[in-house]
Amino acid sequence: MARPRIDSPLARDLLVGLLAVGLVAGPVWTAAIGLGGPTYTYDRAEVVTTDEGIGYVDSEDVPRRTPISDDVTCAGWGGDLRACNFERHLLDEGSIPTGVYATNPDYTPAFSMYSADYYEYVQLDGTLYEPTYVTNESARRDDGLYRVDVTLERAEPADVLERESLDVDRDGLPSVVVGTARNGETTARHEVDVPDTPIRLDDGTYYRVYRERATDDPSWAETLVTWVLTYVGPLYGLSLLVRLAGRVEVTYHAGRR
């Protein structure tokens, strides 16, 4: 069967049919690319080690209540108020009884009983600490058991920052987050989940990605295009399909037995 010439009526009708289908599917295209919807803006803030802790290079550029990491409480904005007050009290006291006892005075328990369930480190007055437990040899019961106390130990900032950061090439990170961590401000049509911890780049620098501001409303031109593709386009596409359908004639020929 010979192919229809590009300037033949059949070829023109096929092209019009493809155009009509595309116009009818206009709402699908607009939804797929997020046209006419809000725009989300993301940015990054560099995180570095200080003398005894970690912090933003410029905290003024970071929105309020943007902690450096959920695993490092009381660092940067945000943090659990009760946890921060407790840890500061613990720092002032040196240690606090837990009500748990151990048989060996030289054994340091490696378990979590309180706030470490949702954070690993605490930063107070610019210094990083790790909640830990020690067996108090001077607090021995009559049955020979030794009381376990909770205390804070200094933590190495560089080790903490490396341990709590995510590699930029880690599987599962949204491309918007990766692009923002590497290049700075990025806009997206869809909202993405941003890790609540720094991201480590190939050159050894660390950046905390965050959503910079609330969603932006689309421009009037984009709104107009969206309205045309959503309402006018499908109606015009349907009219083209109806006209094309009037040119199609189906003929049935009975086959011979």
Side-chain angles (χ1 to χ4, degrees):
M1 176 179 166
R3 294 183 179 179
R5 294 172 50 189
I6 190 65
D7 58 345
S8 67
L10 176 58
R12 288 195 299 271
D13 287 344
L14 288 175
L15 291 176
V16 172
L18 291 175
L19 174 62
V21 172
L23 291 173
V24 171
V28 178
W29 307 126
T30 57
I33 64 177
L35 189 64
T39 299
Y40 301 88
T41 304
Y42 299 88
D43 208 344
R44 65 179 185 175
E46 187 173 4
V47 180
V48 295
T49 59
T50 59
D51 292 339
E52 300 292 341
I54 57 178
Y56 293 117
V57 171
D58 189 353
S59 59
E60 296 298 325
D61 292 339
V62 185
R64 291 181 60 86
R65 303 193 65 79
T66 304
I68 293 175
S69 173
D70 274 359
D71 286 333
V72 184
T73 194
C74 312
W77 294 105
D80 188 311
L81 182 60
R82 294 183 63 182
C84 293
N85 287 335
F86 173 80
E87 299 294 355
R88 180 166 295 282
H89 175 68
L90 176 59
L91 181 63
D92 293 338
E93 294 295 325
S95 64
I96 294 177
T98 63
V100 176
Y101 289 81
T103 58
N104 188 349
D106 298 323
Y107 173 69
T108 300
F111 57 87
S112 175
M113 295 181 303
Y114 73 117
S115 56
D117 286 336
Y118 60 92
Y119 64 84
E120 299 294 333
Y121 302 93
V122 59
Q123 182 160 289
L124 301 171
D125 299 327
T127 302
L128 268 174
Y129 299 91
E130 181 179 5
T132 187
Y133 306 90
V134 295
T135 304
N136 191 337
E137 297 184 30
S138 61
R140 185 182 183 184
R141 295 195 316 193
D142 294 338
D143 58 4
L145 296 179
Y146 297 87
R147 191 183 69 208
V148 176
D149 294 345
V150 61
T151 185
L152 294 174
E153 289 186 358
R154 288 282 187 92
E156 178 59 39
D159 293 341
V160 173
L161 185 54
E162 181 179 6
R163 186 178 299 115
E164 298 304 327
S165 63
L166 301 177
D167 189 273
V168 70
D169 296 320
R170 174 174 175 171
D171 293 339
L173 284 179
S175 59
V176 172
V177 173
V178 173
T180 305
R182 284 180 169 155
N183 306 312
E185 186 176 280
T186 305
T187 57
R189 291 291 184 177
H190 301 283
E191 188 174 10
V192 299
D193 292 329
V194 177
D196 295 325
T197 200
I199 296 175
R200 182 175 62 256
L201 301 187
D202 300 331
D203 60 0
T205 55
Y206 299 84
Y207 289 92
R208 174 70 157 86
V209 175
Y210 58 90
R211 201 172 85 178
E212 186 177 25
R213 56 179 177 268
T215 58
D216 296 327
D217 294 328
S219 64
W220 67 269
E222 185 176 325
T223 302
L224 177 62
V225 171
T226 303
W227 184 83
V228 170
L229 291 178
T230 303
Y231 301 104
V232 179
L235 290 176
Y236 184 63
L238 285 174
S239 68
L240 291 177
L241 290 175
V242 170
R243 277 191 285 175
L244 287 175
R247 300 179 188 179
V248 177
E249 181 179 345
V250 179
T251 304
Y252 174 73
H253 296 278
R256 295 181 179 179
R257 295 187 177 180

